[in-house]
Amino acid sequence: MTWSDKSEAFQSVLDEPPIIINNFVTSGTFVDKSLFIMEFMIFGKRSNLIIRPRRFGKSTNLSMLETFLSTDYPPLNYVPDVKTLLFGNLKVARFEWFAKLYYKQWPVIHISFKDLRSKSWEIMQEDIKERISVLYEEHKYLIDSFSLPEDMNMKDNFIKVLRKETKDSASWTYALSNLARYLNKCFGKSSIILIDEYDWPMENARGFYDNVHDFFKTMYSSVAKENTYVDKVLFVGTLPLGQTSFLSGFNNVVVYPMHEKPSCSGRAIFSDTFGFTENEIKYLLEEKKQNEKLDELRLYYNVYRTSTVVYIYNPHSVISFLDKDEIDNYWIYSGSTNTLNIIHSHSFCKDKDVVESVGQDESVVSLDVELMPYLRYNDLDTKPEINSLCTLLYYSGYLTMVPGSLVGHTVKNVKLVIPNREVACQWILWIFEVIGMEYAKTNEIYESLFKKDIATFCIKFPSLYMEVVSCFDIADLKRGKLYETWYHIFVLGALAMYHGVEYRVESNLEAGVGRPDVRIIPIIQNKTVSITYEFKRSDVVDFLIMKQDTTDALYQIFDKGYRMSLPDHVKEIVEVGIAFCDKVAFVSARCLKPEIEDKTILLTRYLYIFAFTQSHLQ
């Protein structure tokens, strides 16, 4: 079946107003995503991998899929009516032809690998065995189907896994594949396999990655590669793991990221299945009689974008807001921040109505990167690289794509920004936690530039930089491209506090005939000082060389016209050149008024670090 056969009716129902149900199965609010079942079974491939950030409804959708498809035991000898039970009021029930083919008609294997203990491979193995044993317990009725003499070996293997008695490692790595074979014998049909958080074990395998990689590569390949007992496989998780290694056993696995491009029908499959659309948010607020909260929800929880420029809200945060009637940073406190602990790069988006500013304002701070199609978690530990790190941030939900930056199906040179205020708050907290500095101390140093006190900045910034950078191993950064961007990132991160309703922080955006490293531009009339930073990496720690590098930085600001395109209400400009080499910084700065540039005030300061020893010069 192709899209041309059923897409018109499907799209018609999809475009109807959202269905909101309270107290669906368990207490809470349920937004009808039941057309995901139809989309997966009709239009999904044999092996599917859906990638979304955590808490975006992946587990809920898999549970819904299992409940709809899973047959009863003993096998039904009639077609159940979808309209009489849980799904009767949902959109999928509109398609009676589909219900007759799929409702309660399939053996389903559903397992999650989230929250395994990860202190060691031995401990994680015990949890894996426990999960599989519980899964076998759910299908314990299969023991009765092993009635023939030739079935005794299967019965014995089933019981050993059920009771966790087998010592054979193959019994565990092939446990899902074997279960599909047992179900096929019982029902005479191939299984649907749903694997939730498929990549969680790899993400949390610190120190024993290869063991976990090999185990799950074999397990997943056994169900996804030419297995006649499996009809469809759905993996869901946060990150697409390496096709050339981890997924090499898969036959044409199809990955569906949030930026999946539309097919010839115009539909981007699964694009609005995970997370809430703005239309759904409006209906949710109407149910709660809180329509006036829409703008706040846009600001805090919106602006994850699909390739069709559909704006997706974080569902966990929205539901938490509805339950507690309070705007808060629910998502960032709902799970691990392991992702940020291995990242040393970031960007910030406009801290106002982000739907408008990110969607239309070209001045939004962004990172131009190439999204990597596949990753290995251990690569991020051993050889960090800016594109890989930004790819992890993107798939984890800490960055999102600027509309229009994805051309065709390529993921080269896409623009990434922070999606909303909730996530931006996490960035700011993380930055100051990592650099080990007090917000007030850092703020005081940078604030001196707004007061045109460039002497204070020139004197105190090098000391601040040495104190902060001592937390990191510069030698490790030199081995990768992060070394080239660390200095820029350090300053940009500290400037995040200024990005909001009073100032706009720009990073590497065009001005004049070049791209200044960082500009802080006032966006309200009573703020009249603009600051431009240009960074240089010196080859050696030498006073004269570093001084010349900062002088070159200031000349670059002038020669390339970085003072251009400033608002008319800017009355004074502060220009800062900073040269870095390992743990040492040298600063030159000047303050000028646009109407009297010939009377530029120039002040240069070099700070001798007393902790600076002869060993640093070698």
Side-chain angles (χ1 to χ4, degrees):
M1 183 177 295
T2 64
W3 266 109
S4 59
D5 297 319
K6 299 294 180 182
S7 61
E8 186 174 343
F10 181 91
Q11 189 64 48
S12 177
V13 176
L14 192 68
D15 293 339
E16 291 180 3
I19 295 175
I20 310 296
I21 298 177
N22 292 309
N23 298 316
F24 183 85
V25 183
T26 60
S27 61
T29 301
F30 177 82
V31 177
D32 180 11
K33 297 287 187 178
S34 63
L35 290 184
F36 165 63
I37 302 168
M38 182 176 174
E39 193 162 41
F40 172 69
M41 293 304 296
I42 299 297
F43 308 114
K45 306 302 181 182
R46 185 187 182 279
S47 297
N48 307 269
L49 172 56
I50 296 178
I51 301 300
R52 293 295 186 275
R54 61 182 173 82
R55 308 309 294 268
F56 259 64
K58 300 188 295 292
S59 298
T60 299
N61 278 348
L62 260 62
S63 296
M64 177 181 64
L65 190 59
E66 178 190 20
T67 302
F68 185 93
L69 298 174
S70 184
T71 187
D72 295 327
Y73 184 82
L76 298 172
N77 56 8
Y78 67 93
V79 177
D81 185 359
V82 70
K83 293 185 177 181
T84 61
L85 297 173
L86 294 175
F87 296 89
N89 294 322
L90 303 184
K91 290 184 177 182
V92 71
R94 309 277 186 88
F95 299 91
E96 295 186 12
W97 63 268
F98 177 79
K100 289 179 180 179
L101 290 173
Y102 296 99
Y103 183 56
K104 296 295 183 184
Q105 298 297 311
W106 294 86
V108 177
I109 298 172
H110 180 196
I111 190 169
S112 172
F113 290 112
K114 182 181 180 181
D115 293 335
L116 300 170
R117 289 178 298 167
S118 55
K119 289 184 178 181
S120 68
W121 171 229
E122 290 72 25
I123 292 175
M124 183 178 283
Q125 268 187 307
E126 288 302 312
D127 279 5
I128 293 169
K129 292 176 181 179
E130 179 64 26
R131 299 281 175 93
I132 294 173
S133 175
V134 170
L135 177 65
Y136 271 54
E137 179 69 32
E138 294 172 7
H139 297 279
K140 191 176 181 179
Y141 58 83
L142 289 174
I143 294 175
D144 296 333
S145 67
F146 302 127
S147 56
L148 301 176
E150 58 267 27
D151 299 334
M152 291 303 102
N153 188 45
M154 285 192 293
K155 181 177 182 179
D156 182 56
N157 289 338
F158 186 98
I159 293 174
K160 285 183 177 180
V161 172
L162 173 67
R163 297 175 178 173
K164 295 188 293 184
E165 294 176 348
T166 181
K167 303 298 183 182
D168 180 15
S169 60
S171 296
W172 298 107
T173 53
Y174 290 93
L176 301 186
S177 177
N178 288 337
L179 183 56
R181 180 160 60 100
Y182 305 152
L183 289 167
N184 179 264
K185 182 181 185 306
C186 177
F187 294 101
K189 297 188 71 171
S190 300
S191 293
I192 306 295
I193 299 186
L194 312 175
I195 300 179
D196 196 6
E197 302 285 355
Y198 90 106
D199 56 333
W200 196 96
M202 278 63 71
E203 179 185 4
N204 293 274
R206 295 292 182 259
F208 50 95
Y209 185 91
D210 289 341
N211 298 99
V212 177
H213 174 278
D214 293 345
F215 179 91
F216 282 98
K217 176 182 177 180
T218 301
M219 171 180 280
Y220 293 161
S221 297
S222 71
V223 296
K225 183 179 180 180
E226 298 177 357
N227 191 320
T228 58
Y229 305 116
V230 178
D231 186 79
K232 280 180 179 289
V233 184
L234 174 57
F235 302 90
V236 298
T238 301
L239 192 70
L241 299 183
Q243 176 99 15
T244 57
S245 56
F246 187 73
L247 300 182
S248 60
F250 287 35
N251 272 355
N252 300 318
V253 61
V254 179
V255 182
Y256 297 97
M258 191 174 292
H259 61 264
E260 174 68 13
K261 296 292 287 184
S263 65
C264 58
S265 69
R267 167 87 178 153
I269 191 168
F270 308 136
S271 59
D272 51 10
T273 299
F274 300 86
F276 295 157
T277 65
E278 174 134 328
N279 199 30
E280 290 166 340
I281 291 295
K282 290 177 179 177
Y283 274 81
L284 281 167
L285 292 176
E286 188 174 332
E287 288 264 328
K288 299 288 186 178
K289 302 188 184 307
Q290 297 195 53
N291 303 66
E292 75 282 357
K293 295 287 188 179
L294 178 60
D295 287 342
E296 280 191 271
L297 262 64
R298 282 176 176 169
L299 178 64
Y300 272 87
Y301 307 133
N302 192 6
V303 195
Y304 292 97
R305 286 171 295 278
T306 70
S307 63
T308 55
V309 200
V310 172
Y311 292 93
I312 300 295
Y313 286 71
N314 181 324
H316 173 78
S317 296
V318 171
I319 293 299
S320 298
F321 156 74
L322 293 173
D323 288 343
K324 299 181 180 180
D325 192 21
E326 181 180 359
I327 296 282
D328 202 353
N329 299 330
Y330 298 107
W331 182 72
I332 64 175
Y333 298 129
S334 67
S336 170
T337 56
N338 283 343
T339 298
L340 289 179
N341 291 334
I342 58 173
I343 299 298
H344 294 300
S345 61
H346 65 279
S347 106
F348 287 84
C349 76
K350 214 174 185 68
D351 191 8
K352 51 189 296 234
D353 187 336
V354 287
V355 173
E356 296 298 325
S357 65
V358 174
Q360 300 177 12
D361 190 346
E362 294 181 356
S363 67
V364 171
V365 181
S366 64
L367 287 175
D368 293 341
V369 302
E370 176 182 354
L371 288 184
M372 309 303 291
Y374 301 98
L375 290 174
R376 284 170 56 100
Y377 277 107
N378 64 332
D379 286 346
L380 299 172
D381 288 333
T382 58
K383 49 182 179 181
E385 189 269 333
I386 190 67
N387 289 323
S388 298
L389 297 175
C390 286
T391 298
L392 177 59
L393 286 170
Y394 169 72
Y395 283 117
S396 300
Y398 294 99
L399 294 174
T400 190
M401 195 177 295
V402 173
S405 65
L406 180 67
V407 179
H409 285 271
T410 182
V411 289
K412 294 183 179 180
N413 300 320
V414 299
K415 293 183 180 296
L416 300 181
V417 296
I418 287 205
N420 53 49
R421 178 174 288 182
E422 180 182 35
V423 180
C425 288
Q426 175 62 63
W427 275 107
I428 294 172
L429 291 172
W430 174 75
I431 287 167
F432 284 99
E433 178 183 345
V434 167
I435 67 178
M437 293 294 297
E438 294 181 2
Y439 177 93
K441 180 178 180 180
T442 308
N443 184 48
E444 177 186 358
I445 294 173
Y446 283 96
E447 191 67 31
S448 64
L449 291 180
F450 289 95
K451 299 175 182 178
K452 287 88 69 181
D453 183 5
I454 57 179
T456 295
F457 184 84
C458 290
I459 292 171
K460 291 188 175 182
F461 178 85
S463 178
L464 167 71
Y465 179 73
M466 171 163 278
E467 181 178 349
V468 170
V469 83
S470 64
C471 300
F472 298 91
D473 186 352
I474 292 292
D476 284 343
L477 294 174
K478 286 182 179 179
R479 289 195 286 266
K481 294 182 180 179
L482 282 181
Y483 185 53
E484 301 294 333
T485 59
W486 163 246
Y487 306 125
H488 185 154
I489 288 163
F490 167 75
V491 177
L492 184 60
L495 295 175
M497 68 190 81
Y498 295 107
H499 196 73
V501 296
E502 294 183 340
Y503 294 95
R504 179 174 72 246
V505 179
E506 296 182 348
S507 172
N508 281 324
L509 292 183
E510 291 183 1
V513 293
R515 291 174 177 266
D517 284 329
V518 176
R519 292 203 304 175
I520 304 179
I521 301 174
I523 56 179
I524 60 175
Q525 295 293 321
N526 65 343
K527 299 294 182 181
T528 61
V529 177
S530 177
I531 303 173
T532 299
Y533 294 85
E534 190 64 30
F535 310 124
K536 298 294 181 180
R537 181 168 68 86
S538 301
D539 293 328
V540 295
V541 178
D542 180 275
F543 170 80
L544 294 177
I545 292 175
M546 297 184 76
K547 179 180 179 180
Q548 184 59 49
D549 287 339
T550 61
T551 302
D552 291 344
L554 293 177
Y555 279 131
Q556 181 176 328
I557 292 174
F558 174 76
D559 291 341
K560 294 195 174 184
Y562 292 165
R563 302 170 186 172
M564 297 176 63
S565 67
L566 292 173
D568 291 339
H569 62 270
V570 171
K571 303 303 180 185
E572 294 172 293
I573 302 173
V574 176
E575 297 174 343
V576 183
I578 306 178
F580 298 94
C581 185
D582 294 341
K583 299 180 180 182
V584 177
F586 184 97
V587 180
S588 294
R590 61 190 174 197
C591 179
L592 59 118
K593 293 183 178 182
E595 64 271 21
I596 52 170
E597 288 194 16
D598 57 319
K599 296 182 180 180
T600 296
I601 303 170
L602 177 62
L603 177 63
T604 303
R605 288 288 184 271
Y606 180 77
L607 178 65
Y608 291 95
I609 306 298
F610 296 110
F612 189 77
T613 64
Q614 185 66 27
S615 63
H616 288 89
L617 293 172
Q618 297 175 353

